[in-house]
Amino acid sequence: MFGTLKKGFPLHGEGLSGAAFLGAYRTRERFPMLIAGPRFAPMMFNEPGVGFQVGGELYAVDDRALANLDRMESVGKPGNLRVLIEAEPVGGGAPVSAYVYMKTRHLAAPIHSGYLEDYDDRRFTRSSGS
């Protein structure tokens, strides 16, 4: 997880309580990630080769937790994607396949930052439905 699902961020307990933390990882390829939208949400786009290797946390989840995360991330609604990528441990080691949540650019208005390699912004606001 690269954004609000990381430890210490607003959605961690709701989405990853009980999930096994596997460590700090980063994307093998560069991806554009920025802060956008009316909720100041971190958004990564499926545009390999643009931006930075994005840092985050890797968790092992079961099918039930994955379905909950998909719901939280609006997978299935236009512009909301779960994408399989390669990630590598920050401290070195073999890469692994991992799912990340990505958005399409039409959801990124307004844009509040340039491209980021790590998310630590605290402006995210939960919607009234979350």
Side-chain angles (χ1 to χ4, degrees):
M1 299 298 148
F2 64 84
T4 58
L5 288 163
K6 293 190 317 185
K7 287 180 189 172
F9 285 85
L11 300 179
H12 180 79
E14 182 180 341
L16 292 168
S17 63
F21 176 67
L22 302 177
Y25 279 71
R26 67 177 161 247
T27 61
R28 284 195 81 194
E29 291 196 67
R30 294 178 297 129
F31 288 95
M33 179 178 70
L34 45 76
I35 308 297
R39 296 173 57 204
F40 291 84
M43 296 183 183
M44 188 160 54
F45 307 120
N46 193 10
E47 299 171 12
V50 177
F52 298 100
Q53 285 182 282
V54 177
E57 300 172 346
L58 190 64
Y59 292 85
V61 298
D62 60 20
D63 290 342
R64 183 176 167 190
L66 186 60
N68 182 50
L69 291 167
D70 284 352
R71 180 192 56 76
M72 290 174 64
E73 293 289 338
S74 301
V75 171
K77 293 183 180 176
N80 297 275
L81 314 167
R82 177 171 28 107
V83 178
L84 190 63
I85 65 160
E86 292 291 308
E88 58 191 24
V90 170
V96 299
S97 295
Y99 286 117
V100 295
Y101 291 100
M102 296 191 182
K103 306 291 185 193
T104 56
R105 286 193 180 264
H106 81 274
L107 297 176
I111 293 174
H112 305 291
S113 76
Y115 293 153
L116 306 170
E117 56 187 310
D118 189 36
Y119 173 76
D120 62 4
D121 196 285
R122 298 289 176 166
R123 294 177 288 173
F124 174 76
T125 59
R126 296 180 69 139
S127 71
S128 57
S130 303

